[in-house]
Amino acid sequence: MESAADAAQVRPGFRERVETVLREHWREPVIGLRLGDADLRFAVPGRRPDGTVEGEGLVREGFLTVARGIGAAVGFVAYLASAAGSGGGKGERAVHVTGPADAQVLEPLDLLRRAKGPWLVCSPTSVALVETGSTYLDPADAPEPRILWEARGADAPAVSFRKRTLTWPDGSRFAFPLRSRTEDQYLRQFLSHPDEVRWPE
């Protein structure tokens, strides 16, 4: 059941608009999933953990490093306080993007990182990343969904909804985070064991 918090994060009507646009574009059944906000972690040669290119913006990066250090210290103190009360934990952040230097995953993910309302839309033959802008708005006041990136047929990455991954031919991978439990529940209704998809009609 959808919580009030989840409903506030993605107002009713956004998914329907996104799926309608891509269904008409591809003329295939689609599944649209609101992705988590683009705070993604990278493990790709030539990229920093936040996805920015190594070596770019060195002066600005120096100031940001100091700010991050202060923020990290505050965050670490908060983490220790939290871990002490909850029995501890590793505190490691999940890596979402992996692959070799110049990986195929980088082009779509660079576009995704700038999106304010990112969606992953899949069909039996195609994959797209879509931008709707803020999903807190009334859908009637929001801009039309915009395709940021798409791949079809042999160019499309392999999708595993159960593992929540997109995998490109060069082995690069995006472990996509869903926005909320509502998205997880929506996806589950289309899955069969082990990783078969019952596409909506």
Side-chain angles (χ1 to χ4, degrees):
M1 186 170 177
E2 185 175 39
S3 72
D6 287 349
Q9 292 169 354
V10 183
R11 298 280 293 273
F14 273 97
R15 187 190 319 278
E16 293 78 5
R17 291 177 75 198
V18 168
E19 290 184 339
T20 296
V21 167
L22 272 296
R23 189 181 306 112
E24 292 175 354
H25 179 60
W26 290 333
R27 300 189 183 283
E28 291 187 294
V30 301
I31 297 171
L33 301 166
R34 174 68 160 87
L35 296 177
D37 291 328
D39 181 19
L40 304 175
R41 304 300 291 174
F42 286 64
V44 177
R47 296 293 181 114
R48 298 184 187 100
D50 67 356
T52 56
V53 178
E54 288 181 352
E56 288 187 357
L58 292 178
V59 174
R60 179 175 170 266
E61 187 62 27
F63 289 112
L64 290 176
T65 299
V66 173
R68 280 192 204 108
I70 294 169
V74 172
F76 185 66
V77 170
Y79 163 73
L80 288 176
S82 171
S86 63
K90 293 183 180 177
E92 295 177 4
R93 296 185 63 187
V95 173
H96 300 95
V97 186
T98 58
D102 300 320
Q104 291 174 296
V105 69
L106 294 176
E107 178 190 351
L109 267 290
D110 283 342
L111 296 168
L112 179 67
R113 285 171 51 234
R114 295 191 288 269
K116 294 181 180 175
W119 294 78
L120 171 66
V121 185
C122 301
S123 78
T125 67
S126 306
V127 177
L129 297 172
V130 177
E131 163 75 294
T132 60
S134 173
T135 51
Y136 290 91
L137 298 173
D138 185 321
D141 299 328
E144 282 297 307
R146 181 169 56 94
I147 299 172
L148 298 174
W149 170 89
E150 68 177 310
R152 307 201 66 190
D155 294 329
V159 181
S160 171
F161 285 120
R162 191 162 300 281
K163 293 179 183 177
R164 300 213 185 125
T165 58
L166 303 179
T167 305
W168 277 259
D170 67 353
S172 57
R173 179 174 294 187
F174 172 38
F176 56 87
L178 297 181
R179 181 72 174 90
S180 67
R181 198 168 140 227
T182 299
E183 299 304 308
D184 179 65
Q185 291 169 337
Y186 181 73
L187 176 57
R188 285 176 187 271
Q189 68 181 309
F190 302 112
L191 296 183
S192 298
H193 187 75
D195 202 4
E196 296 177 9
V197 181
R198 301 183 302 274
W199 294 97
E201 300 195 7

